[in-house]
Amino acid sequence: MSIQSAQRIALISFHGDPAVEIGREEAGGQNVYVRNVGEALARLGWQVDMYTRKVSPTQAEIVQHTPGCRTIRFSAGPLEFIPRDNLFEYLPEFIDRFLKFKQENGIDYQVVHTNYWMSGWMGMYLKKLLGYKQVHTYHSLGAVKYATIENIPAIASKRLESECEVLEQAERIVATSPQEKAHMRQLVSTKGNIDIIPCGTDIHSFGSIDRNAARVALGIEPDAKLVLYVGRFDHRKGIETLVRAMRESKFYGDQKLQIIIGGGSVPGQSDGIERDRIEGIVDELGLREHTKFPGRLSQEILPSYYAAADVCVVPSHYEPFGLVAIEAMASGTPVVASDVGGLQFTVVPGETGLLAQPQDVAEFAIAIDKIISNPEWRDKLGEAGKRRVHNKFSWDGVANQLSELYLQLIAQPVLQEEQKEVEAALSGK
Ligand code: UDP
């Protein structure tokens, strides 16, 4: 099937703005996913509109990334950052803006691809109102997440209910790993259509620099034992496990040991609070001399950090996919990750890195030590990781699979029953 000239697709990512800096506050994998999928779809010939919520008066309403791909921001609620658990009440306003924008600009879509449960909720509404076909990516499942945290937010029941409805009602769900699909089936619903299409990474940028050159560029000693974390400061990311594991490492106290904990933080906001907590543990364990917190790392500098590292650690309590793991592997660096979710899919233990039980400090320490004490094995794991990412996780490969899926859905006739529902919704019956 081929894309008709300038066929349009809408990606809705209500709380994950594809045009913002990544790595700060709540901006992480979802923002990277939507932006890269959007740009790669545009390279295939789609006209891509990515819809998100505006969080500051200074943000542009439209950001044109490439000729075929733009971000469109609507204000819905106060023009400020609001944690995602408090955003639900602004969805109706966002939908109104969407409908108005669509009408004023004379554009329409046949398929809408929604991201995270709140956008999924809007997608279900638009499907009923306008007959759109809906593709949905969860990015995180409430049923899994709430099992790993103590303070369940007030919005939890609404989220769980919507996540079940969207699985049963969307034309297609995109699970990013077989593990995520299994969770949906076990914890959400046995109904609904699920395809597995993974997340991707930029295989040209990650892997563009080798370890020695990266170390020179970053001023890191050639013989340092460098352990790297990259990601948001969020309790679920398990940074504490990594820090405690380094206290148990046999390299503790060795001048050559270096730990870099990269990721953004804004004083006083939620990720700043987690960073203060982690820094407190670093001090308490006597790791300050070994540890650096460079703050948010731009996508331009990240390839050097990954390449410079001996090992990249992803100690999450739960991870639906985990882009950081494939970015490190694409850079030729082995990964030690928690044996959970998408990390069980991306990291092949003994081949591209090692897996350890989440929050198991001793197991993480052993796995990290095993890799940093054996440079030959480290290089072998690194090479295998790079091959795995090139074969399975490039953005262009991911976009090809999504494009095929959208085209299939567009080609499917609308069922008579659905058509009647749409007509009834439009005539206000
Ligand atoms: N990231 C970044 N700079 C940082 C920290 C993280 O660009 O300082 C990016 C990282 O490269 C990755 C994304 O943020 O692409 C994190 O995605 P992941 O799936 O690992 O975690 P999530 O944030 O979705 O929980």
Side-chain angles (χ1 to χ4, degrees), residues 22-24 26-30 32 139 206 230-232 236-237 262-264 295-299 302 306 314 319-325 327:
I22 309 300
R24 201 171 270 169
E26 289 184 352
Q30 179 176 329
V32 172
H139 296 279
F206 295 113
V230 173
R232 293 176 297 118
R236 135 169 114 81
K237 290 289 180 183
R296 189 190 87 85
L297 301 172
S298 70
Q299 291 279 313
L302 262 173
Y306 284 124
V314 188
E319 198 63 75
F321 185 81
L323 283 174
V324 164
E327 291 169 1

